[in-house]
Amino acid sequence: MPAPRTLLLTGAAGGVGTLMRELLPAYGYELRLLDAVPVPGAPDAIVADLADRAALREAVRGADAVVHLAGISLEAEFEKIVAANITGLHHLYEAVREEGVPRVVFASSNHAVGFTRRPREGEPPVPVDTPHRPDTFYGLSKCFGEDLAQLYWDLHGVETVSVRIGSCFPEPTSVRMLSMWLSPGDCARLLHAALTAQEVGHTVVYGSSANTRAWWDLSTARALGYAPRDDSEEFAGKLIAEKGLPEPGSADDLYLGGHFCVNPPRWPH
């Protein structure tokens, strides 16, 4: 579709949101920012919770697309996950439907398939159609989000690209991240591709850079026009020397979700 001009970026004060609000304007987007807390340096940002349906509808009105990064991004009590990541996401899609916004880019997560065994050397990468195997309530909410996106495409014609984001940081901070690192620059390139590709319907993609140690099949992302430029391998020597390789048989060694499968970090940080 034509490049959206006005883009609603939810979760704009979060880690990925902070990086994207710096990088996406270079692609020609006029950003409208939303978060549950004030966005530093953005006095015009909308401060609203996903529970506030009227505020959400006002926020999406006139937008050409939505990049939805808001919600709880770590493990939490089930009730909190439901409120933010399930009920809140439904509120967003209802606002999008009511206001006729044609496309959403939804921040899904690798934790939707976290209990999937990671591929070993010589084995094929994990495809996007691998069955959901969430590793947490958080991961479970991302499975729901992908299914909700499919429903809104089938029922209402709202297009979505669900991006199973790996770890989007300026550089990887663990050995596991060497396989799922998404550099900020590549994240912006992937979001731009997801926003501008033609006829996406509901498309699920993995979000990582062109990592030498990658575990995921990026073919559906590349089909959108995504061309990753970065590789975590430049950080591998230092990280392995500092932290060592995962212990054989440990969660970090066995599963895509790593330690989230046994001892997930809790929300808030």
Side-chain angles (χ1 to χ4, degrees):
M1 68 185 231
R5 177 177 173 80
T6 301
L7 182 64
L8 175 65
L9 180 68
T10 74
V16 179
T18 296
L19 295 167
M20 292 305 101
R21 70 175 193 262
E22 296 171 356
L23 294 174
L24 286 175
Y27 290 87
Y29 299 110
E30 180 180 326
L31 299 185
R32 182 183 299 169
L33 307 178
L34 181 145
D35 205 295
V37 299
V39 178
D44 294 334
I46 302 162
V47 180
D49 191 90
L50 295 175
D52 189 338
R53 301 188 71 163
L56 278 180
R57 184 160 182 182
E58 180 66 25
V60 305
R61 186 170 296 139
D64 297 306
V66 177
V67 172
H68 183 56
L69 304 177
I72 291 176
S73 61
L74 297 171
E75 184 63 318
E77 290 78 12
F78 183 68
E79 293 76 12
K80 292 182 179 179
I81 292 285
V82 168
N85 292 12
I86 293 180
T87 304
L89 183 65
H90 173 249
H91 290 169
L92 177 77
Y93 269 92
E94 274 296 281
V96 163
R97 179 188 65 78
E98 290 166 344
E99 292 299 326
V101 178
R103 185 171 298 184
V104 176
V105 178
F106 166 59
S108 186
S109 170
N110 66 96
H111 297 291
V113 292
F115 264 113
T116 302
R117 293 280 181 138
R118 75 168 182 85
R120 301 295 172 176
E121 187 174 353
E123 294 179 344
V126 177
V128 293
D129 61 356
T130 194
H132 284 160
R133 292 191 67 178
D135 52 27
T136 46
F137 292 140
Y138 164 66
L140 181 65
S141 75
K142 297 304 183 178
C143 297
F144 170 86
E146 292 181 9
D147 287 344
L148 188 71
Q150 184 67 54
L151 178 66
Y152 270 72
W153 165 242
D154 290 335
L155 273 182
H156 305 301
V158 175
E159 292 194 307
T160 297
V161 178
S162 293
V163 183
R164 291 179 182 163
I165 296 173
S167 299
C168 185
F169 296 95
E171 61 182 66
T173 59
S174 72
V175 174
R176 175 174 166 269
M177 281 191 199
L178 294 172
S179 299
M180 57 183 54
W181 180 57
L182 178 63
S183 73
D186 280 341
C187 185
R189 282 184 275 275
L190 178 52
L191 294 183
H192 178 60
L195 288 163
T196 55
Q198 300 295 312
E199 299 180 357
V200 299
H202 176 229
T203 299
V204 180
V205 304
Y206 287 116
S208 73
S209 290
N211 301 319
T212 298
R213 300 167 190 255
W215 292 338
W216 302 330
D217 181 358
L218 294 181
S219 60
T220 57
R222 293 181 185 275
L224 299 177
Y226 174 51
R229 299 180 187 174
D230 299 319
D231 185 346
S232 64
E233 199 63 19
E234 65 178 294
F235 306 102
K238 179 174 181 288
L239 277 172
I240 292 171
E242 289 177 354
K243 300 178 182 296
L245 293 172
E247 182 180 349
S250 67
D252 273 345
D253 175 60
L254 293 175
Y255 302 116
L256 293 183
H259 60 280
F260 271 71
C261 296
V262 292
N263 186 29
R266 305 286 297 188
W267 182 272
H269 298 272

